[in-house]
Amino acid sequence: MKGLTSKFKAVGALMTLALILSGCGEEFLSALRPQGQGASDILSLMILSIAVMMFVFVVVMVIYVFVILKFRQKKGQEDFIPEQVEGSHTLETLWTVVPIFLILILAVPTVQYTFSLVDTSPQVSAEGEEDQIWINVTGKQYWWHFEYDGMDVTTSQELYIPTDRRVFLSLHSEDVIHSFWVPTLQGKIDVNPTGNRNEIWIDAEKEGVYWGKCAEFCGPSHSLMDFKVVAVSPGEFEQWVKDMRNIDPEATPESEVAAAGQEVFANNCMSCHANGTSPNKIGPNVSNFGDRERIAGVLEYNKENLIEWIETKGKDMKPGNLMTSAAYDLSDEELEQVAEYLMSLSPSEITPENANDNEYIESDLSDLFVDEEKDESSQEKSEEESEEDSEEDSDSN
Ligand code: CUA
């Protein structure tokens, strides 16, 4: 009876585990439900290797069962020794060649994908080379910083990208080794200190908010080093970039409490945290804090959590975080004001809600790259003009 109870307990535990693990199969988090080309490629490799392993397993089991049945000791054959096959050339060749063949089936696509998944050269289509969106990613204990190259946009913790095109990331760390991983979109890539930069691309086939993780043990809050990828349609992304580059950090918030908070923030927090495109990244950039999905990457977004975070500097909410050494002491009223101010920071009409509203706005994003091109073309034009001028000059001479 006791044995039966423990069996029930074991089955119960397994069922609970299955229920918990089934929660991992979400399309915003699971590598088994890819939403981007990179993750799809990786899943196809997983399926290929499982298929090869299953083939080996089935063949071995069939031979095993066959041999046990066929060559088992029969009555009256107690002293019979069957024919011995050691040194058989046929068998030796067979079990050398077949594994080599299987390893080749695994190795060729694996090596191919190893290179293509981090190939950051521009995509070329019939219209020519595509303009590349490059984002400089910095990993720090325990948060992420994003700078959009050539776009004058800086943000932290939530990475906005357009759907339907590759976005290129150049990653490095300012302290220890981290690993950047958005399971539904791409594989992991190490984020190294000491000047080494790694590059990778990510893409999202459809809009959504995808969860990102740090995948390299980096300290006590490693498992809390989460971030989000907010994939919006290209037109919405374009709007977001335009709004984000026009932030006026000095603009006074509408609410009086938030306005008071702005002052408290300026006097106590600005040495580490920036609002707008300032390069200061000692602490996370707060430009669009009001649109964040989470506080500190993991906590539910509400005022109580935010106040507790500011008051305790996240000491217990994210153990080991570097803010704990910040020297400030705010009154309850000031805490409330700063929280109100931070939650009022919403410079763009594009927020994570746009990633979930199924509204798709087209754009080839050419407006975002126009500055460079315009500069070049206007430069060319002025060169042409000056050539014409000099021709005219020489004509008149
Ligand atoms: Cu950063 Cu783990």
Side-chain angles (χ1 to χ4, degrees):
M1 192 64 205
K2 205 179 169 197
L4 204 62
T5 324
S6 64
K7 259 181 207 156
F8 271 124
K9 270 187 193 161
V11 172
L14 274 178
M15 282 167 70
T16 315
L17 190 65
L19 189 70
I20 293 169
L21 288 178
S22 67
C24 302
E26 302 290 353
E27 62 178 32
F28 54 82
L29 185 60
S30 173
L32 302 179
R33 296 184 66 182
Q35 308 296 321
Q37 184 62 47
S40 295
D41 289 351
I42 293 169
L43 181 62
S44 62
L45 274 184
M46 286 195 237
I47 292 171
L48 176 72
S49 37
I50 290 172
V52 170
M53 302 310 164
M54 283 310 293
F55 169 75
V56 172
F57 178 76
V58 168
V59 169
V60 169
M61 287 319 284
V62 166
I63 295 173
Y64 175 68
V65 172
F66 172 78
V67 168
I68 283 181
L69 293 177
K70 177 150 168 84
F71 298 107
R72 71 187 192 279
Q73 196 179 55
K74 297 180 184 104
K75 259 194 188 143
Q77 289 189 339
E78 281 80 7
D79 296 328
F80 173 75
I81 296 179
E83 188 195 342
Q84 299 301 293
V85 292
E86 73 250 23
S88 157
H89 282 294
T90 318
L91 282 178
E92 297 272 359
T93 313
L94 200 67
W95 64 53
T96 307
V97 170
V98 171
I100 289 176
F101 187 64
L102 292 178
I103 285 171
L104 276 179
I105 294 180
L106 287 176
V108 170
T110 302
V111 171
Q112 201 183 349
Y113 282 141
T114 301
F115 287 96
S116 71
L117 288 171
V118 291
D119 174 15
T120 51
S121 52
Q123 301 274 286
V124 183
S125 67
E127 289 107 62
E129 242 178 44
E130 187 185 75
D131 288 314
Q132 288 183 294
I133 297 175
W134 273 98
I135 301 168
N136 293 314
V137 179
T138 310
K140 296 187 80 166
Q141 285 169 320
Y142 302 95
W143 57 279
W144 299 89
H145 184 78
F146 308 109
E147 278 169 29
Y148 291 67
D149 195 49
M151 290 186 187
D152 261 349
V153 173
T154 305
T155 180
S156 290
Q157 295 295 59
E158 292 184 7
L159 174 66
Y160 284 67
I161 62 166
T163 56
D164 306 311
R165 71 186 283 146
R166 289 187 179 181
V167 173
F168 299 84
L169 308 177
S170 167
L171 310 103
H172 85 291
S173 162
E174 288 203 345
D175 37 49
V176 299
I177 302 175
H178 304 278
S179 176
F180 183 94
W181 189 31
V182 190
T184 43
L185 301 184
Q186 246 285 21
K188 301 167 186 170
I189 183 123
D190 270 359
V191 181
N192 296 327
T194 66
N196 170 295
R197 294 195 87 94
N198 279 339
E199 294 179 349
I200 197 170
W201 54 267
I202 56 169
D203 74 328
E205 278 153 12
K206 57 177 190 170
E207 295 182 276
V209 177
Y210 304 108
W211 288 22
K213 293 270 175 191
C214 176
E216 177 81 46
F217 181 69
C218 55
S221 284
H222 151 70
S223 65
L224 304 175
M225 194 171 159
D226 285 18
F227 61 100
K228 306 279 175 288
V229 173
V230 181
V232 291
S233 61
E236 291 167 319
F237 177 75
E238 189 177 328
Q239 184 61 50
W240 181 79
V241 169
K242 286 176 179 169
D243 294 340
M244 287 294 285
R245 63 159 68 130
N246 285 328
I247 293 175
D248 174 11
E250 316 273 282
T252 314
E254 275 173 35
S255 115
E256 263 177 47
V257 184
Q262 184 181 33
E263 213 175 306
V264 179
F265 187 85
N267 296 333
N268 293 279
C269 319
M270 281 297 231
S271 48
C272 295
H273 297 274
N275 176 13
T277 56
S278 157
N280 183 355
K281 54 180 175 196
I282 298 170
N285 181 295
V286 297
S287 293
N288 56 351
F289 194 95
D291 300 332
R292 293 254 186 100
E293 286 267 284
R294 285 278 193 276
I295 288 169
V298 282
L299 303 164
E300 202 181 315
Y301 189 95
N302 59 45
K303 209 179 205 175
E304 293 81 66
N305 279 344
L306 181 55
I307 289 177
E308 190 185 336
W309 177 280
I310 304 168
E311 189 177 14
T312 63
K313 297 161 188 170
K315 193 168 146 292
D316 298 323
M317 297 163 124
K318 224 172 192 181
N321 88 75
L322 301 181
M323 185 167 166
T324 43
S325 59
Y328 65 77
D329 195 13
L330 304 181
S331 69
D332 284 354
E333 197 190 3
E334 287 170 322
L335 288 169
E336 169 90 21
Q337 289 166 343
V338 173
E340 183 85 14
Y341 167 63
L342 288 173
M343 293 177 90
S344 76
L345 295 174
S346 176
S348 177
E349 59 193 66
I350 306 299
T351 70
E353 269 173 39
N354 296 80
N356 293 316
D357 65 359
N358 290 323
E359 196 188 336
Y360 189 94
I361 303 173
E362 298 256 8
S363 166
D364 61 359
L365 301 184
S366 52
D367 268 12
L368 296 182
F369 301 99
V370 86
D371 284 344
E372 260 174 59
E373 278 167 20
K374 208 193 264 168
D375 287 350
E376 275 171 29
S377 59
S378 61
Q379 217 175 342
E380 275 168 28
K381 218 182 216 172
S382 58
E383 274 168 22
E384 271 168 34
E385 272 166 17
S386 62
E387 269 171 35
E388 275 167 27
D389 285 351
S390 59
E391 271 168 34
E392 274 167 28
D393 285 349
S394 56
D395 284 353
S396 61
N397 287 343

